[in-house]
Amino acid sequence: MIPLAEPPHAEDAPMSAEPGAPDLMEIYRAHVDYVWRIARSLGIPADAAEDVTQEVFLCVHHRLHTFRPGGSMRAWLFGITRNLVLHDKRSYARRERHLAALPQPQETAREPDATVRVQQAAALMQAFLDELDLDKRLVFQMTEIEEMTADEIAEALAIPLGTVYSRLRAARARLERFRLRLHARDERRHACATNP
Amino acid sequence: MRDEPVTTPELVAAYRDRERPSEAARERMARALMAATAARSATVIPLRPPRRQRRGFAGVWLALAAALALIGASSYWLVSARQQMSGPADMLLDAHDHEPAQGTVTPKAIEAPRGHVVHAIAEPPVVTEPAAVETVEPEPAMVEVAATTEMGAADPAPRRPARSQARHVVADSPRGADASADPVLEELMLIQQIKDALDAERPAAALAAIDAHARKFARGSLAEEREALRVVALCNAGEVARGERARRAFVNAYPRSAYRERVRAACPVAAAATEQTTMD
């Protein structure tokens, strides 16, 4: 388990909203995808991610006055999301087990090639992320997908900058190996197709 | 599957495109939030409900009082039993033998599941043995940097790790003999040195470390970070023209980098001059 940051507490943050404090809907629009993906990375299934995301922003609505202006909004949101996920994880895990027992829906509609390609690439990235342990996955995801800086990530995860870099380096090296593996597989398939 | 190898930006873009709430879900959430904002009656699962917290503390105090009473009673019983067996003089001679056993009452027993342990440890009555409180677990992040090849190892999760302390150890550990032996650690330490030099406003030292990194790890995994820091270091050193060239090279090489804003802000004069030239 990684050491995770505490979101700022009400008691150690200014109690009144700053005049230039960000608006809730502004925050929602800017960060809804980020919160969704973080919740998913922390183990929330897709069908429950909407509930968690909504809870996060309702919590933001109540605690916006505790956000320190000048701090990283995404680091703060990460703390709230992580707390809610930890709180609800057991119930979601139970629910997921029940849902897993149900038969999976069959995909029947044929989609255009471009969409299929995007789906395949997204599935590959998902497979790669699933290979990583949570520590490296969060750092990699925050860097490459959420485009957060190393300082922001260090703040969000409450880890030293050096640790952010070391995890990022390890994750990138694994991605490179993952890509080479994919390429080799494609080559083999191509060779099989041309020389039956 | 496509013939050409899939690139990292392609994977990232596809993942970002697929892994997000649907438009309908976004709309539903936005409506719920707007309703909550209007009514100010949103139902949120409280992160730290104050009532439960107080109840928890009362329970802890009750348990603590019971434990202390039990310890007192058993100590009294032990003392009287020993006095009966060997007399008070033997008790005085053996007194030091009992010291290690005092540390067995650990504050962990009252650790609350939602992070209240900090308050609990800080309460004086819990601390029956001061040395037990001072026994701090090793910083997980420090362990990780010291042994980067085993980064998957499970870290104990401290609630609020002391960043300054961790940074200190991270900066110190490479100066040992292991840093030069382990290329991974060496690369990390060079990046850390660059950051430290920039934080200390020593751009020349930062540039020297950047050049060292570029020589040893030209295609290292942290080349993107190094080149972003190069722009910052050059501009901080007042070498605006070189900084601007480095910035252009960086933006060309890493168009979607997370550091592009910082890099853009590093040389504001040069950036403004470029924009002016482009406009003319």
Side-chain angles (χ1 to χ4, degrees):
Chain A
M1 190 64 194
I2 55 166
L4 295 168
E6 284 278 304
H9 295 280
E11 58 266 27
D12 51 38
M15 286 306 291
S16 60
E18 294 289 319
D23 170 63
L24 174 69
M25 294 314 291
E26 221 172 90
I27 298 169
Y28 169 75
R29 276 189 289 272
H31 300 292
V32 60
D33 291 357
Y34 164 75
V35 169
W36 173 284
R37 281 192 289 262
I38 290 296
R40 295 277 289 120
S41 291
L42 292 172
I44 295 297
D47 67 306
E50 182 179 337
D51 288 349
V52 172
T53 307
Q54 186 173 319
E55 280 175 25
V56 168
F57 284 101
L58 287 173
C59 191
V60 167
H61 169 53
H62 282 254
R63 300 184 58 176
L64 195 52
H65 65 279
T66 69
F67 174 68
R68 291 175 197 279
S72 164
M73 174 57 76
R74 283 186 291 187
W76 189 64
L77 288 174
F78 176 83
I80 293 176
T81 310
R82 189 249 325 173
N83 272 355
L84 281 170
V85 167
L86 289 183
H87 184 275
D88 293 347
K89 206 160 186 177
R90 253 182 235 160
S91 61
Y92 284 118
R94 253 196 319 273
R95 206 174 123 189
E96 195 178 22
R97 277 200 299 277
H98 290 151
L99 287 173
L102 299 174
Q104 294 294 314
Q106 299 292 318
E107 284 187 23
T108 48
R110 188 170 168 79
E111 297 188 67
D113 282 355
T115 314
V116 171
R117 269 188 218 129
V118 171
Q119 270 179 355
Q120 282 174 341
L124 287 174
M125 184 50 116
Q126 184 69 61
F128 166 69
L129 290 172
D130 290 345
E131 274 187 12
L132 295 176
D133 59 69
L134 184 61
D135 296 350
K136 287 196 266 296
R137 177 186 175 137
L138 284 174
V139 169
F140 179 84
Q141 186 174 337
M142 286 176 165
T143 308
E144 302 292 349
I145 292 158
E146 309 303 340
E147 300 181 345
M148 289 167 73
T149 64
D151 292 298
E152 264 186 301
I153 298 167
E155 186 185 337
L157 301 179
I159 54 175
L161 207 55
T163 308
V164 173
Y165 287 132
S166 71
R167 290 180 188 173
L168 179 59
R169 187 190 188 288
R172 281 180 181 166
R174 286 193 67 162
L175 178 62
E176 200 48 41
R177 287 199 296 275
F178 180 81
R179 285 183 54 240
L180 288 174
R181 227 164 53 215
L182 282 180
H183 188 47
R185 191 192 66 183
D186 290 348
E187 292 284 307
R188 277 198 305 275
R189 283 186 183 170
H190 185 69
C192 283
T194 50
N195 305 311
Chain B
M1 198 63 219
R2 305 170 65 182
D3 287 334
E4 63 269 26
V6 63
T7 62
T8 305
E10 203 177 349
L11 288 170
V12 167
Y15 181 79
R16 206 184 278 133
D17 184 58
R18 306 295 297 190
E19 189 63 41
R20 61 179 183 176
S22 66
E23 285 306 316
R26 281 163 159 269
E27 191 58 35
R28 277 196 299 274
M29 287 189 280
R31 272 204 304 272
L33 282 179
M34 279 190 279
T37 316
R40 296 193 63 80
S41 60
T43 50
V44 178
I45 296 169
L47 295 178
R48 282 174 175 64
R51 290 184 111 187
R52 277 185 62 184
Q53 197 172 18
R54 276 198 293 274
R55 245 184 281 144
F57 268 104
V60 165
W61 280 110
L62 275 174
L64 188 65
L68 285 174
L70 197 64
I71 290 167
S74 56
S75 310
Y76 177 74
W77 180 81
L78 273 174
V79 168
S80 12
R82 286 202 70 149
Q83 276 177 335
Q84 279 172 1
M85 285 166 62
S86 52
D90 290 342
M91 287 296 292
L92 285 172
L93 287 171
D94 290 345
H96 63 279
D97 291 339
H98 298 275
E99 280 175 15
Q102 289 174 3
T104 52
V105 181
T106 62
K108 196 155 180 129
I110 56 163
E111 189 169 322
R114 313 234 11 200
H116 302 312
V117 68
V118 175
H119 306 293
I121 290 171
E123 296 294 339
V126 180
V127 185
T128 53
E129 171 60 53
V133 179
E134 285 163 19
T135 311
V136 179
E137 283 187 328
E139 188 71 42
M142 290 184 271
V143 174
E144 176 162 351
V145 172
T148 41
T149 52
E150 294 180 3
M151 279 169 298
D155 292 338
R159 306 299 297 173
R160 284 170 187 271
R163 285 186 63 186
S164 57
Q165 189 189 359
R167 282 286 296 271
H168 175 70
V169 177
V170 165
D172 281 356
S173 57
R175 290 176 182 97
D178 291 344
S180 55
D182 183 351
V184 174
L185 190 56
E186 195 181 1
E187 179 174 11
L188 288 174
M189 289 325 302
L190 278 169
I191 292 290
Q192 188 69 57
Q193 272 177 27
I194 299 167
K195 285 283 297 177
D196 288 347
L198 284 174
D199 289 347
E201 296 182 358
R202 291 186 288 113
L207 284 169
I210 287 167
D211 289 340
H213 187 280
R215 274 195 304 277
K216 294 204 86 164
F217 305 100
R219 294 171 61 84
S221 293
L222 299 172
E224 178 181 341
E225 280 72 17
R226 178 193 68 216
E227 292 310 315
L229 292 170
R230 187 194 295 280
V231 179
V232 177
L234 283 169
C235 294
N236 285 2
E239 297 194 44
V240 180
R242 279 183 65 198
E244 176 53 23
R245 278 200 299 277
R247 186 185 71 81
R248 275 195 222 136
F250 178 83
V251 172
N252 285 337
Y254 308 101
R256 288 195 60 88
S257 171
Y259 302 98
R260 61 185 185 274
E261 280 308 317
R262 189 177 176 195
V263 160
R264 203 189 340 264
C267 280
V269 180
T274 315
E275 279 166 22
Q276 188 65 36
T277 317
T278 324
M279 284 173 73
D280 294 343

